[in-house]
Amino acid sequence: SLYLVQKFKTPDHWYPSDLQKRARVDEYLSWQHANIRAKGSKLFLTKVLLPLLTGQPLPPEKLEFATEELNVALKQFEEKFLQDKLFIAGSEISLADLVALVELMQPVCAGYDLFEER
């Protein structure tokens, strides 16, 4: 994604030239792999793929644990990155927001409404 932003000279808001905003985008892109992506994928695997592949019903405690882990990551995301802003790096959408949306949709596709009460 960084390659595409730089190759096609996209508008500045996607990967800001302002160093502080760019650092914020980079920080989120690094953080999300072990947090939003990992926990969202785990919920999707636990709730959708494992029962589909094994043909076995899902143990409720496994789903509960995966949901708890995702909720911790979502709380960190809200407190550290979003705070009271609409976008991660300030007042305009960036590559970080696009990546966040893609990763957040995986648990949503598994039937988990992570936007409720957020």
Side-chain angles (χ1 to χ4, degrees):
S1 51
L2 290 177
Y3 169 79
L4 294 174
V5 165
Q6 293 172 2
K7 178 177 178 167
F8 294 107
K9 309 281 189 254
T10 60
D12 190 66
H13 64 86
W14 288 111
Y15 193 58
S17 56
D18 175 276
L19 292 180
Q20 285 187 317
K21 288 181 181 178
R22 180 174 285 196
R24 190 72 168 161
V25 170
D26 289 340
E27 180 184 21
Y28 177 76
L29 293 176
S30 295
W31 177 85
Q32 66 92 27
H33 291 287
N35 294 281
I36 300 294
R37 175 177 288 169
K39 308 309 186 222
S41 295
K42 183 176 182 178
L43 180 74
F44 183 79
L45 287 168
T46 303
K47 189 171 182 184
V48 176
L49 286 183
L50 289 177
L52 188 65
L53 293 172
T54 64
Q56 299 297 315
L58 176 73
E61 62 276 1
K62 284 192 176 192
L63 181 58
E64 188 176 318
F65 183 71
T67 303
E68 276 295 315
E69 284 187 319
L70 178 59
N71 282 331
V72 168
L74 291 171
K75 186 172 195 265
Q76 291 171 343
F77 172 61
E78 289 177 307
E79 291 175 355
K80 180 163 179 52
F81 292 100
L82 277 184
Q83 298 160 348
D84 61 350
K85 303 180 308 283
L86 289 177
F87 303 106
I88 293 169
S91 60
E92 292 184 285
I93 194 169
S94 72
L95 183 58
D97 300 292
L98 190 60
V99 169
L101 182 59
V102 168
E103 296 300 339
L104 292 171
M105 293 320 301
Q106 194 169 18
V108 169
C109 290
Y112 178 61
D113 186 2
L114 55 84
F115 298 111
E116 186 179 348
E117 299 180 21
R118 288 192 169 83

